[in-house]
Amino acid sequence: MARAGGSTDGQGTLKWVWEKYSDPETGSPRWKKLAEVTREDHRQAWKQIDKSLGDMQISDITSPIVARYVHVERADSPKRANTEKALLSNLFGQGIKLGACSVNATIGVEPHQLEARTEAPAAKLLEALLTWMGQQTTQRKLIGMAAEYASLAGNRKCEFLKLTWPQVDREAKQIRIIRAKQRGKKRETIVEVIAISDDMEGLLTRLEALRLGRECLYVFPTRDGNKYSDKGFQSIWQRCIQDAIADQVLTTKNRFTFHDLRAYYATKHKLVRGSLPDLHANPQTTARVYDRNKEVFRSAN
């Protein structure tokens, strides 16, 4: 059966361009440079785009069509819509290279205006949640310990979910972890060396206690000892948060995201040490996204 534009193999459709763009062997150099976590995020974005636009000839997709998709069809998910628009822009760039279209129809389509989150979890609220999670099942205890780790070290999920015990040197009091979201020559070459504090040492001791009786390479393993996927981890975290709200540990107003724990770390780091930690290639991004201090201290002349 002929598909959009009368082609029998879908040539020239947005789906065809996506397949060319994301092919593991012959895909776009831009795609190959992306970190795997970003590729997976784009695969999820494509699944959503495909439902509406996949079978259209890319040359038939105009700016008004993109604008309707971003601001009408995806109005209830503005953050995801912006990710999908960014992927569409890449696909139009690929389509131009393939001769399938001549214009990037995302140009001129404004993204959703999102306000950055401004609150870090309160210390007592985080402590209450971690205490509650410590009373749950073994895997939920582990998820709680992962949250505690994020609050102490400030790592992204995609960095610590693949953390292995050989990367933890308790004698040298260091954890060595590869920084994510580095591109080009810096990709997988920037190592964050995290000093093990007394609180981190206590957490590692409790994590090792969960490890007893089973061989686990990963510090935060699944029930069968494998590495959590980002999606699998996030699914359990969300269920924990929902149950914590049901048990009145959190409320719908003071609940927080897992990523807020990175901001908690940065905010506390500045409060205690007087400066923000080195979390991002661009220090301005660290200040804009993760610094949620409400008071700024300085001396009078």
mmCIF file of all heavy atoms in Angstrom, residues 163-181:
data_model
loop_
_atom_site.group_PDB
_atom_site.id
_atom_site.type_symbol
_atom_site.label_atom_id
_atom_site.label_comp_id
_atom_site.label_asym_id
_atom_site.label_seq_id
_atom_site.Cartn_x
_atom_site.Cartn_y
_atom_site.Cartn_z
ATOM 1 N N LEU A 163 26.919 3.599 38.509
ATOM 2 C CA LEU A 163 28.052 3.596 39.439
ATOM 3 C C LEU A 163 28.301 2.180 39.949
ATOM 4 O O LEU A 163 27.375 1.483 40.377
ATOM 5 C CB LEU A 163 27.760 4.530 40.617
ATOM 6 C CG LEU A 163 28.839 4.636 41.705
ATOM 7 C CD1 LEU A 163 30.102 5.268 41.150
ATOM 8 C CD2 LEU A 163 28.317 5.444 42.898
ATOM 9 N N THR A 164 29.562 1.732 39.899
ATOM 10 C CA THR A 164 29.928 0.395 40.371
ATOM 11 C C THR A 164 30.832 0.504 41.594
ATOM 12 O O THR A 164 31.477 1.532 41.825
ATOM 13 C CB THR A 164 30.660 -0.393 39.277
ATOM 14 O OG1 THR A 164 31.889 0.281 38.934
ATOM 15 C CG2 THR A 164 29.794 -0.529 38.021
ATOM 16 N N TRP A 165 30.880 -0.571 42.352
ATOM 17 C CA TRP A 165 31.676 -0.557 43.586
ATOM 18 C C TRP A 165 33.175 -0.322 43.342
ATOM 19 O O TRP A 165 33.824 0.332 44.171
ATOM 20 C CB TRP A 165 31.446 -1.848 44.375
ATOM 21 C CG TRP A 165 30.153 -1.834 45.115
ATOM 22 C CD1 TRP A 165 29.004 -2.502 44.809
ATOM 23 C CD2 TRP A 165 29.844 -1.062 46.288
ATOM 24 N NE1 TRP A 165 27.999 -2.207 45.695
ATOM 25 C CE2 TRP A 165 28.493 -1.326 46.622
ATOM 26 C CE3 TRP A 165 30.569 -0.173 47.083
ATOM 27 C CZ2 TRP A 165 27.862 -0.740 47.723
ATOM 28 C CZ3 TRP A 165 29.947 0.412 48.168
ATOM 29 C CH2 TRP A 165 28.610 0.130 48.485
ATOM 30 N N PRO A 166 33.770 -0.815 42.214
ATOM 31 C CA PRO A 166 35.195 -0.496 41.987
ATOM 32 C C PRO A 166 35.477 0.998 41.844
ATOM 33 O O PRO A 166 36.621 1.431 42.006
ATOM 34 C CB PRO A 166 35.500 -1.237 40.675
ATOM 35 C CG PRO A 166 34.553 -2.393 40.676
ATOM 36 C CD PRO A 166 33.295 -1.851 41.271
ATOM 37 N N GLN A 167 34.439 1.798 41.570
ATOM 38 C CA GLN A 167 34.622 3.249 41.467
ATOM 39 C C GLN A 167 34.614 3.923 42.843
ATOM 40 O O GLN A 167 34.898 5.116 42.943
ATOM 41 C CB GLN A 167 33.527 3.866 40.605
ATOM 42 C CG GLN A 167 33.562 3.470 39.139
ATOM 43 C CD GLN A 167 32.329 3.949 38.393
ATOM 44 O OE1 GLN A 167 31.392 3.195 38.156
ATOM 45 N NE2 GLN A 167 32.314 5.212 38.032
ATOM 46 N N VAL A 168 34.288 3.159 43.872
ATOM 47 C CA VAL A 168 34.211 3.693 45.234
ATOM 48 C C VAL A 168 35.459 3.250 45.994
ATOM 49 O O VAL A 168 35.638 2.068 46.285
ATOM 50 C CB VAL A 168 32.947 3.188 45.955
ATOM 51 C CG1 VAL A 168 32.888 3.742 47.377
ATOM 52 C CG2 VAL A 168 31.693 3.569 45.171
ATOM 53 N N ASP A 169 36.351 4.182 46.286
ATOM 54 C CA ASP A 169 37.585 3.889 47.013
ATOM 55 C C ASP A 169 37.452 4.467 48.424
ATOM 56 O O ASP A 169 37.757 5.637 48.664
ATOM 57 C CB ASP A 169 38.784 4.509 46.285
ATOM 58 C CG ASP A 169 40.121 4.072 46.873
ATOM 59 O OD1 ASP A 169 40.141 3.616 48.042
ATOM 60 O OD2 ASP A 169 41.139 4.176 46.161
ATOM 61 N N ARG A 170 37.010 3.634 49.332
ATOM 62 C CA ARG A 170 36.759 4.124 50.694
ATOM 63 C C ARG A 170 38.057 4.353 51.450
ATOM 64 O O ARG A 170 38.089 5.150 52.399
ATOM 65 C CB ARG A 170 35.843 3.142 51.426
ATOM 66 C CG ARG A 170 34.467 3.059 50.741
ATOM 67 C CD ARG A 170 33.583 2.009 51.296
ATOM 68 N NE ARG A 170 33.007 2.391 52.569
ATOM 69 C CZ ARG A 170 32.127 1.639 53.227
ATOM 70 N NH1 ARG A 170 31.750 0.479 52.724
ATOM 71 N NH2 ARG A 170 31.644 2.049 54.390
ATOM 72 N N GLU A 171 39.116 3.686 51.049
ATOM 73 C CA GLU A 171 40.408 3.917 51.702
ATOM 74 C C GLU A 171 40.948 5.299 51.336
ATOM 75 O O GLU A 171 41.452 6.032 52.195
ATOM 76 C CB GLU A 171 41.410 2.836 51.276
ATOM 77 C CG GLU A 171 42.745 2.938 52.001
ATOM 78 C CD GLU A 171 43.665 1.773 51.674
ATOM 79 O OE1 GLU A 171 43.160 0.700 51.277
ATOM 80 O OE2 GLU A 171 44.885 1.933 51.851
ATOM 81 N N ALA A 172 40.817 5.649 50.047
ATOM 82 C CA ALA A 172 41.254 6.980 49.602
ATOM 83 C C ALA A 172 40.181 8.035 49.843
ATOM 84 O O ALA A 172 40.413 9.221 49.616
ATOM 85 C CB ALA A 172 41.606 6.944 48.115
ATOM 86 N N LYS A 173 39.007 7.582 50.292
ATOM 87 C CA LYS A 173 37.866 8.463 50.544
ATOM 88 C C LYS A 173 37.457 9.244 49.298
ATOM 89 O O LYS A 173 37.262 10.456 49.319
ATOM 90 C CB LYS A 173 38.149 9.415 51.714
ATOM 91 C CG LYS A 173 38.225 8.712 53.070
ATOM 92 C CD LYS A 173 38.311 9.710 54.195
ATOM 93 C CE LYS A 173 38.232 9.007 55.553
ATOM 94 N NZ LYS A 173 36.937 8.302 55.742
ATOM 95 N N GLN A 174 37.318 8.494 48.178
ATOM 96 C CA GLN A 174 36.936 9.109 46.916
ATOM 97 C C GLN A 174 35.963 8.227 46.135
ATOM 98 O O GLN A 174 36.058 6.998 46.170
ATOM 99 C CB GLN A 174 38.161 9.351 46.027
ATOM 100 C CG GLN A 174 39.104 10.431 46.529
ATOM 101 C CD GLN A 174 40.263 10.633 45.581
ATOM 102 O OE1 GLN A 174 40.555 9.797 44.714
ATOM 103 N NE2 GLN A 174 40.952 11.764 45.736
ATOM 104 N N ILE A 175 35.039 8.877 45.436
ATOM 105 C CA ILE A 175 34.183 8.222 44.453
ATOM 106 C C ILE A 175 34.503 8.870 43.115
ATOM 107 O O ILE A 175 34.493 10.096 42.984
ATOM 108 C CB ILE A 175 32.687 8.414 44.776
ATOM 109 C CG1 ILE A 175 32.354 7.784 46.132
ATOM 110 C CG2 ILE A 175 31.812 7.820 43.680
ATOM 111 C CD1 ILE A 175 30.952 8.106 46.621
ATOM 112 N N ARG A 176 34.813 8.050 42.116
ATOM 113 C CA ARG A 176 35.163 8.561 40.794
ATOM 114 C C ARG A 176 34.026 8.210 39.825
ATOM 115 O O ARG A 176 33.686 7.045 39.673
ATOM 116 C CB ARG A 176 36.489 7.970 40.309
ATOM 117 C CG ARG A 176 37.660 8.269 41.255
ATOM 118 C CD ARG A 176 38.954 7.650 40.756
ATOM 119 N NE ARG A 176 39.419 8.266 39.522
ATOM 120 C CZ ARG A 176 40.154 9.379 39.471
ATOM 121 N NH1 ARG A 176 40.510 9.992 40.604
ATOM 122 N NH2 ARG A 176 40.554 9.872 38.324
ATOM 123 N N ILE A 177 33.470 9.226 39.199
ATOM 124 C CA ILE A 177 32.295 9.014 38.361
ATOM 125 C C ILE A 177 32.417 9.847 37.087
ATOM 126 O O ILE A 177 32.921 10.972 37.119
ATOM 127 C CB ILE A 177 31.023 9.371 39.154
ATOM 128 C CG1 ILE A 177 29.783 8.752 38.538
ATOM 129 C CG2 ILE A 177 30.856 10.850 39.343
ATOM 130 C CD1 ILE A 177 28.591 8.732 39.495
ATOM 131 N N ILE A 178 32.020 9.265 35.947
ATOM 132 C CA ILE A 178 32.119 9.956 34.667
ATOM 133 C C ILE A 178 31.014 11.006 34.550
ATOM 134 O O ILE A 178 29.841 10.703 34.750
ATOM 135 C CB ILE A 178 32.005 8.974 33.490
ATOM 136 C CG1 ILE A 178 33.105 7.902 33.573
ATOM 137 C CG2 ILE A 178 32.090 9.714 32.158
ATOM 138 C CD1 ILE A 178 34.498 8.434 33.425
ATOM 139 N N ARG A 179 31.384 12.233 34.245
ATOM 140 C CA ARG A 179 30.386 13.294 34.077
ATOM 141 C C ARG A 179 29.626 13.082 32.764
ATOM 142 O O ARG A 179 30.219 12.844 31.716
ATOM 143 C CB ARG A 179 31.056 14.672 34.070
ATOM 144 C CG ARG A 179 30.083 15.807 33.782
ATOM 145 C CD ARG A 179 30.730 17.166 33.921
ATOM 146 N NE ARG A 179 30.916 17.530 35.323
ATOM 147 C CZ ARG A 179 31.371 18.725 35.727
ATOM 148 N NH1 ARG A 179 31.687 19.648 34.840
ATOM 149 N NH2 ARG A 179 31.516 18.983 37.013
ATOM 150 N N ALA A 180 28.326 13.172 32.827
ATOM 151 C CA ALA A 180 27.472 12.995 31.657
ATOM 152 C C ALA A 180 27.301 14.316 30.907
ATOM 153 O O ALA A 180 27.738 15.376 31.359
ATOM 154 C CB ALA A 180 26.110 12.456 32.084
ATOM 155 N N LYS A 181 26.683 14.222 29.747
ATOM 156 C CA LYS A 181 26.304 15.370 28.919
ATOM 157 C C LYS A 181 27.517 16.199 28.482
ATOM 158 O O LYS A 181 27.435 17.419 28.355
ATOM 159 C CB LYS A 181 25.276 16.254 29.626
ATOM 160 C CG LYS A 181 23.951 15.519 29.888
ATOM 161 C CD LYS A 181 22.868 16.459 30.325
ATOM 162 C CE LYS A 181 21.544 15.705 30.460
ATOM 163 N NZ LYS A 181 20.428 16.593 30.839
#
